[in-house]
Amino acid sequence: MGLIILAAGGSTRLGQPKQLLLFRGKTLLTHTVEQALNSQCHPIIVVLGSQAEQIELEINSFPIIIVKNLNWKQGMGRSIQTGIEQLKAIQPDSLGVVITLCDQPFISAEIIDKLVETYEQTQNSMVVSEYNNILGVPALFSQNLFGELINLDTTQGAKSLIKSYPNHRCIVPFPLGILDIDTPQDYEQLLQIRL
């Protein structure tokens, strides 16, 4: 089971690369990479785009595959396509993929493994996280959905696909998944959390 970390965005509302924000002594991207590496997924593919050279320096010592989406401005769908094409090239028999973001500070290897274990138990086409009545990533998509992931509208993330198959998905609760960082206010709120 492969895993793709989407980390290509320009963080326009934040005003600085969210990938490099510090939380509990690590950047958000480093934390996400470490949790992915501690999960049962392999390989770990990180899709970079905006300020890729600077961000790559943060993670290039990890045993991961870094790919660059030169068309990152087209949207998250283009980064998903870039990641899936890389996964198919290096692991064509992969049973599926977990797609996650770099700005969910409470992502954990346990949540990632729960997605994989739920898939193995149910064989549903997708296993998605739920937070605050929202279905989203991290989410697992089986290999039979790779074609649809590659052909997503470039401006769309995986949520459009999640909505398309209400009868072919399982849900894993991830309450802290609601916390992601898009604005300076989000980051300030994060720094106040004591968990």
Side-chain angles (χ1 to χ4, degrees):
M1 188 71 61
L3 186 145
I4 296 169
I5 299 171
L6 302 176
S11 309
T12 49
R13 285 187 285 167
L14 187 67
Q16 59 180 304
K18 67 174 70 175
Q19 300 91 328
L20 301 180
L21 288 178
L22 284 173
F23 181 56
R24 297 180 179 173
K26 296 178 181 176
T27 66
L28 292 180
L29 182 54
T30 293
H31 169 74
T32 305
V33 168
E34 288 178 346
Q35 295 304 310
L37 287 168
N38 286 331
S39 77
Q40 57 186 287
C41 293
H42 180 81
I44 308 301
I45 297 167
V46 180
V47 182
L48 299 181
S50 176
Q51 302 189 48
E53 287 71 26
Q54 177 189 1
I55 294 166
E56 184 175 4
L57 293 174
E58 177 70 22
I59 56 171
N60 62 10
S61 62
F62 290 102
I64 57 176
I65 295 156
I66 297 171
V67 291
K68 293 174 185 168
N69 171 16
L70 300 180
N71 299 305
W72 61 270
K73 287 183 180 176
Q74 294 179 6
M76 196 176 290
R78 180 66 71 209
S79 289
I80 291 172
Q81 177 184 15
T82 301
I84 293 290
E85 288 174 344
Q86 181 69 35
L87 177 61
K88 288 176 66 176
I90 59 178
Q91 195 176 81
D93 58 348
S94 180
L95 296 175
V97 66
V98 172
I99 294 178
T100 194
L101 305 174
C102 68
D103 68 342
Q104 287 176 307
F106 295 100
I107 186 74
S108 67
E110 289 76 20
I111 288 290
I112 295 167
D113 285 346
K114 183 68 175 170
L115 296 172
V116 176
E117 288 156 11
T118 302
Y119 169 74
E120 289 171 346
Q121 291 162 7
T122 65
Q123 297 296 302
N124 275 20
S125 293
M126 64 179 79
V127 184
V128 302
S129 297
E130 180 181 33
Y131 29 86
N132 200 27
N133 296 316
I134 297 168
L135 300 181
V137 296
L140 182 152
F141 300 90
S142 65
Q143 187 186 49
N144 65 331
L145 293 176
F146 282 8
E148 293 193 54
L149 287 167
I150 284 175
N151 290 305
L152 282 174
D153 182 320
T154 59
T155 62
Q156 300 276 316
K159 281 189 180 175
S160 60
L161 187 56
I162 290 169
K163 290 177 182 173
S164 300
Y165 290 96
N167 300 320
H168 298 278
R169 66 184 181 218
C170 284
I171 293 169
V172 169
F174 177 29
L176 291 173
I178 193 66
L179 295 163
D180 64 4
I181 311 302
D182 291 317
T183 66
Q185 292 76 21
D186 293 339
Y187 185 45
E188 286 302 317
Q189 289 174 357
L190 174 65
L191 295 178
Q192 303 304 316
I193 291 174
R194 298 287 177 263
L195 287 174

